[in-house]
Amino acid sequence: MTASRSDRPDEEWRWVPGYEGFYVVSDHGRVCSMPRPRARGGILKSPCGSGGYPTLALVKDGIQKPFRVHTLVLTAFVGPCPDGFVACHFDGDPANNHLSNLRWDSQKANADDLKRHRREGKRPLRQRKEEA
């Protein structure tokens, strides 16, 4: 599915692989639930999970499964993750899930990114606040 929403005409939407008919994801990193019985549909909120990465749970056939938003964007727009690769953010910001900021790359390249962006060994912001 490819669609655009009137509030952001430059935004492209595609079905979440494996969840066709249930969820779509945009190249801007937004996820939308489709209307169906017992589900109103609409843009989902994706709170930050481990490491500051926006995470949400998708439900299909009564089974709930957690996903990081960057993985949904890459899978829908680029394809499945190649063996041995991980999702990487060009700018080092785990909350920036725009397609232009994402790529599949090696774990080493991701570690190099973390060093370059000075995020190596950092804990999630929420965890640091709780420790204070």
Side-chain angles (χ1 to χ4, degrees):
M1 171 188 174
T2 302
S4 65
R5 297 180 57 88
S6 59
D7 60 337
R8 294 184 185 179
D10 63 329
E11 189 170 24
E12 182 181 345
W13 294 84
R14 293 193 183 172
W15 290 114
V16 173
Y19 290 83
E20 293 85 352
F22 296 94
Y23 300 94
V24 289
V25 62
S26 83
D27 60 343
H28 290 206
R30 298 196 302 165
V31 180
C32 182
S33 172
M34 304 306 290
R36 54 190 185 276
R38 298 189 324 182
R40 190 169 34 130
I43 302 294
L44 301 176
K45 294 182 181 182
S46 48
C48 289
S50 174
Y53 295 96
T55 305
L56 46 77
L58 303 184
V59 180
K60 181 176 153 187
D61 300 326
I63 299 169
Q64 186 174 351
K65 186 173 178 185
F67 289 94
R68 287 182 171 175
V69 173
H70 63 246
T71 301
L72 297 176
V73 173
L74 281 168
T75 302
F77 287 90
V78 177
C81 182
D83 287 341
F85 279 52
V86 295
C88 298
H89 294 78
F90 283 111
D91 68 359
D93 179 1
N96 180 358
N97 290 310
H98 197 286
L99 178 60
S100 64
N101 187 49
L102 302 173
R103 72 185 189 282
W104 295 124
D105 210 334
S106 68
Q107 185 65 48
K108 181 183 180 330
N110 195 39
D112 291 345
D113 282 352
L114 294 175
K115 287 177 188 173
R116 187 173 69 249
H117 297 295
R118 294 183 179 90
R119 287 185 46 83
E120 184 178 29
K122 287 193 175 179
R123 290 165 297 204
L125 181 60
R126 180 176 37 181
Q127 184 177 354
R128 290 194 305 262
K129 283 182 178 178
E130 290 171 358
E131 291 174 357

